[in-house]
Amino acid sequence: MTDNIKKIQLNDLHVALGGKMVPFAGYNMPVRYSSDIEEHKTVREGVGVFDVSHMGEFMVTGPKALELIQKVTSNDASKLTNGQAQYSCFPNETGGIVDDLIVYKFEDEKYMLVVNASNIDKDWAWINQHNTMGAELENISDSISLFAVQGPKAIDAMQSLTPINLSDVKFYHFTVGEFAGVKDVIISGTGYTGAGGFEIYVKNEDAEEVWKAIFEAGKDFDIKPIGLGARDTLRLEMGYCLYGNDINDETSPLEAGLGWITKFTKEFINSENLKKQKESGVDKKLVGFILQERGIPRAHYPIVNNTGEVIGEVTSGTQSPSMGVGIGLGYVKSEYGAPGTEIAISIRNKNLAAKIEKLPLYKK
């Protein structure tokens, strides 16, 4: 392992648990502990825990906090109430996306931005560059651990650890309180799986204690540690974008189907050009598809129409553990973007039939 790969706080614990460690977004991360399919099903049907402490966290505080957030993000953060979270993105000046993120509002002058691990340095430079109004910024990424406790049994498995009624923590809302005997833990009704559950933000010094308490409390629910392999198949079944695959510096939020987080009720970086794009329409759009024949689609495979003409490219693909078929996301020319459209994925010189489906691809 090279020296420039960072370790998350519980690195050694994951090794001891039998986690297969791989470099991911500059961090040594557990990709799986048993098998991707087994771990995927644990989350869909029961409860599992991901250590996603590689994610970045920035605090934005002071009287100018909201002004900065409104300038750099596409969604309208003025609509947030205390204890609410919002999915958003940082648009760049050339029509693409710097990163996607979640904005957490604690109170009027206190927000947290949670960004992708691979983009921490880029995002930090970006928001500092645009902080002309003088909001107070702090990068706390290296002092925070993040555990995603995901699955339909998450509430029942975790309720014994906190006096907070977890059923009251609604989707994209959060609360700060005692968890596993530790004070000031952020318990957030968010996740990247579509299976329900929470994301738990703790200080690094409390991470091991909280992790162990989660597994003790979840023992009767057959709780398991889950790696990044299953995280990818779970998010893909839901059609959630992965930065670097489905969205990047060159994809517009409107092309990526993120018009719902792009609010023209305010001005933000590149809002004028994006507004024009919305009015004139996009040339390509991100779609979800399901293969009608056996095969596994992968990133960069061509997408073709029924005459074999290339109309786009796969950005993410896998064999869906829940559905037992090949699924994926990709960009196609807009005229092919309607759900129900028959397309084909070119896999090793063979065009395999597929159909564009409305997201999520996995309908529970």
Side-chain angles (χ1 to χ4, degrees):
M1 199 178 76
T2 52
D3 294 340
N4 58 358
I5 298 273
K6 288 183 162 183
K7 287 184 178 181
I8 54 176
Q9 184 72 11
L10 300 187
N11 183 86
D12 298 353
L13 187 146
H14 296 299
V15 172
L17 285 170
K20 178 175 165 45
M21 308 300 282
V22 299
F24 178 84
Y27 289 80
N28 195 39
M29 295 294 290
V31 69
R32 74 184 55 83
Y33 302 84
S34 56
S35 83
D36 291 353
I37 291 177
E38 201 177 297
E39 291 176 22
H40 180 107
K41 289 189 168 161
T42 293
V43 175
R44 276 276 175 262
E45 296 160 16
V47 58
V49 189
F50 304 80
D51 186 341
V52 282
S53 299
H54 61 320
M55 298 291 282
E57 295 87 12
F58 306 152
M59 297 303 299
V60 186
T61 55
K64 301 291 186 180
L66 181 61
E67 192 183 331
L68 173 61
I69 291 167
Q70 289 290 69
K71 177 182 173 183
V72 296
T73 66
S74 60
N75 210 334
D76 189 350
S78 71
K79 298 280 192 283
L80 289 172
T81 56
N82 295 353
Q84 192 178 6
Q86 181 184 70
Y87 182 56
S88 195
C89 77
F90 296 131
N92 64 23
E93 279 141 344
T94 52
I97 297 172
V98 178
D99 202 3
D100 61 335
L101 72 151
I102 298 181
V103 179
Y104 287 82
K105 180 179 184 183
F106 292 84
E107 55 199 58
D108 278 351
E109 296 185 5
K110 183 182 179 187
Y111 296 82
M112 179 171 75
L113 311 182
V114 177
V115 304
N116 284 300
S118 55
N119 291 333
I120 292 172
D121 295 342
K122 177 175 86 161
D123 293 352
W124 181 244
W126 180 258
I127 62 169
N128 276 281
Q129 178 193 331
H130 292 285
N131 185 21
T132 50
M133 65 290 295
E136 292 159 43
L137 293 171
E138 189 186 0
N139 182 352
I140 59 169
S141 305
D142 288 341
S143 57
I144 298 290
S145 287
L146 171 55
F147 306 138
V149 184
Q150 299 282 296
K153 295 181 182 170
I155 291 179
D156 292 341
M158 295 298 99
Q159 189 56 72
S160 66
L161 292 177
T162 179
I164 295 155
N165 184 348
L166 292 176
S167 303
D168 292 343
V169 183
K170 300 290 179 234
F171 192 52
Y172 269 79
H173 286 73
F174 70 99
T175 188
V176 180
E178 191 180 314
F179 186 86
V182 174
K183 293 192 173 14
D184 299 325
V185 173
I186 299 168
I187 304 166
S188 172
T190 48
Y192 196 45
T193 65
F198 303 95
E199 292 184 310
I200 311 287
Y201 295 83
V202 298
K203 295 184 186 79
N204 280 349
E205 54 267 31
D206 298 320
E208 189 165 353
E209 184 186 341
V210 170
W211 176 274
K212 287 180 171 169
I214 286 170
F215 278 82
E216 190 55 41
K219 217 161 45 179
D220 293 345
F221 299 87
D222 209 18
I223 199 165
K224 297 261 175 26
I226 312 293
L228 294 180
R231 191 168 185 245
D232 194 51
T233 53
L234 288 156
R235 69 95 192 167
L236 201 40
E237 287 184 346
M238 301 310 293
Y240 296 155
C241 291
L242 174 63
Y243 194 90
N245 283 45
D246 316 302
I247 50 176
N248 58 42
D249 290 310
E250 287 163 15
T251 56
S252 128
L254 302 175
E255 292 169 342
L258 299 178
W260 63 281
I261 63 164
T262 309
K263 300 287 167 55
F264 299 110
T265 48
K266 58 160 206 173
E267 284 180 18
F268 56 86
I269 291 168
N270 207 37
S271 56
E272 210 164 298
N273 289 328
L274 288 171
K275 196 173 186 178
K276 283 182 196 150
Q277 187 182 54
K278 188 183 181 178
E279 285 155 9
S280 60
V282 293
D283 296 331
K284 63 174 184 177
K285 62 194 284 196
L286 186 67
V287 295
F289 62 83
I290 297 178
L291 280 188
Q292 311 293 302
E293 304 180 61
R294 277 179 73 95
I296 301 175
R298 297 290 183 204
H300 309 301
Y301 286 3
I303 301 175
V304 300
N305 64 11
N306 52 16
T307 64
E309 178 201 348
V310 175
I311 56 164
E313 185 177 271
V314 176
T315 52
S316 291
T318 193
Q319 172 83 358
S320 161
S322 303
M323 299 148 68
V325 292
I327 62 169
L329 294 171
Y331 284 93
V332 296
K333 290 178 181 172
S334 293
E335 59 264 37
Y336 294 96
T341 303
E342 292 182 358
I343 55 167
I345 311 300
S346 190
I347 302 180
R348 295 187 202 89
N349 303 325
K350 220 176 141 196
N351 293 344
L352 298 186
K355 193 181 272 187
I356 292 177
E357 291 279 344
K358 195 173 185 304
L359 300 175
L361 296 171
Y362 171 64
K363 318 275 197 271
K364 11 186 208 294

